[in-house]
Amino acid sequence: MTDNRPIGVFDSGIGGLTVLREIWNAVPGESTIYFGDNSRAPYGTKSRSTVIRYSLQNMKFLESKDVKMIVIACNTASAYAYEELKKRANVPVVEVVTPGADKACRATRNGKIGIIATKGTISTGVYKEAVERRAKELGLKDIEIFEKACPLFVSLAEEGWWDTEVTRLTAEEYLKPLKEAGVDTLVMACTHYPLLSKVIGEVMGEGVTLVNTGEATAQVVKDLLDSESGSSRPVREFYTSDEPDLFEKVAAPFLGEGLPSGTKHFNTDRYEVTI
Ligand code: DGL
């Protein structure tokens, strides 16, 4: 029987819309429910226990909507909370770290992989471990990983400064050590970074492959679904823990097409969770 229940997707706010966009591209017949925890964003600067608590609450909300799968469309939440969510979820949980790591390992030619992300994600070491694990599985030898937290990129993306002089200067400063290290593959391990990919790509220079973890994650979602899954009239719902109007205004550029409308307000902090 066709399973037309929606896919639940959550993020700390709007960044996860770059992942949602890729999911829509990969599986256009699927209904989706997106939850942006805008009132508690950013997650990238919060502690591990806080991000785990928020993520469990967001998961409870999506499960209450009878979703068939949960996508953690946030690198920080994936890095801190995936194991905990997987243990407690009633449905499959997809995170963004492993798909990004896999893509990076397949893309590199000189074995030098750069990872850029929020401070939180970098501090967990989860990406580095995922790349090392995947490289081993693929039989790649002499992999070298270079990590760099680029916290200002999140604000620049939200400000809409995707291709400005300030963004270029910031990128030059952040990416300098990765360029000097000679990485040929750079994982954009934060939901916001793909919006800055033009500048990031130009600063890194030709010959450096940028890995968009959203794209890789959407492929994992597709592979997990039955080919019969979905419907001819998919529904796309949005919830935010902040003001719906504000969410829709800021979300528009992140989504490209398919602008959100009818966004509803919901606070997931009403859910009791124990860690
Ligand atoms: N969504 C977050 C991530 O991918 C970036 C924004 C935040 O810090 O909340 O890590």
Side-chain angles (χ1 to χ4, degrees):
M1 205 172 65
T2 320
D3 185 351
N4 54 17
R5 287 177 301 161
I7 297 171
V9 181
F10 80 84
D11 175 47
S12 56
I14 46 175
L17 295 170
T18 59
V19 181
L20 183 70
R21 188 164 74 178
E22 301 297 342
I23 294 173
W24 286 352
N25 284 340
V27 284
E30 294 294 336
S31 295
T32 52
I33 295 187
Y34 182 89
F35 176 72
D37 198 5
N38 298 72
S39 69
R40 302 191 293 187
Y43 282 10
T45 51
K46 302 254 172 7
S47 70
R48 176 186 182 81
S49 60
T50 298
V51 175
I52 293 179
R53 182 160 53 85
Y54 288 178
S55 301
L56 286 169
Q57 289 172 324
N58 301 341
M59 178 173 91
K60 280 200 169 202
F61 167 67
L62 291 173
E63 284 188 335
S64 78
K65 296 279 166 197
D66 194 25
V67 297
K68 64 180 164 200
M69 179 191 293
I70 290 172
V71 180
I72 311 175
C74 172
N75 290 266
T76 310
S78 292
Y80 278 134
Y82 171 62
E83 291 301 330
E84 207 52 46
L85 264 60
K86 194 173 65 166
K87 250 190 267 167
R88 303 194 198 191
N90 301 320
V91 292
V93 180
V94 173
E95 44 81 50
V96 293
V97 175
T98 321
D102 175 60
K103 213 169 163 192
C105 288
R106 290 178 188 281
T108 187
R109 296 165 308 284
N110 70 3
K112 294 182 180 180
I113 298 174
I115 298 168
I116 51 173
T118 63
K119 281 190 176 151
T121 300
I122 297 291
S123 76
T124 64
V126 162
Y127 252 103
K128 191 165 182 284
E129 280 165 31
V131 172
E132 282 166 354
R133 201 172 40 242
R134 193 67 191 122
K136 211 167 165 192
E137 284 163 7
L138 292 170
L140 303 181
K141 293 207 173 70
D142 303 325
I143 288 286
E144 279 184 90
I145 300 164
F146 303 87
E147 296 180 288
K148 178 83 186 154
C150 306
L152 290 176
F153 279 174
V154 170
S155 318
L156 291 166
E158 294 207 3
E159 195 62 33
W161 290 3
W162 302 351
D163 186 11
T164 65
E165 202 44 36
V166 176
T167 306
R168 192 167 304 273
L169 288 171
T170 310
E172 272 164 14
E173 189 66 30
Y174 277 147
L175 302 176
K176 203 162 151 194
L178 303 180
K179 276 186 81 168
E180 282 170 5
V183 305
D184 74 351
T185 303
L186 182 64
V187 187
M188 296 184 288
C190 171
T191 50
H192 288 58
Y193 298 0
L195 296 170
L196 308 181
S197 55
K198 181 169 180 283
V199 170
I200 294 174
E202 282 166 7
V203 169
M204 289 308 292
E206 255 178 56
V208 175
T209 307
L210 300 187
V211 173
N212 177 345
T213 55
E215 230 172 69
T217 305
Q219 196 51 49
V220 172
V221 169
K222 187 176 180 175
D223 293 345
L224 277 177
L225 292 170
D226 204 285
S227 55
E228 298 286 296
S229 179
S231 84
S232 54
R233 298 177 67 189
V235 180
R236 294 169 172 179
E237 283 185 78
F238 293 89
Y239 288 84
T240 173
S241 56
D242 206 341
E243 276 292 316
D245 283 354
L246 187 66
F247 174 85
E248 290 182 2
K249 215 175 283 160
V250 195
F254 276 73
L255 263 183
E257 290 156 34
L259 300 183
S261 64
T263 302
K264 297 184 197 81
H265 177 263
F266 193 87
N267 263 331
T268 54
D269 61 8
R270 67 186 67 176
Y271 291 114
E272 292 261 334
V273 291
T274 46
I275 301 170

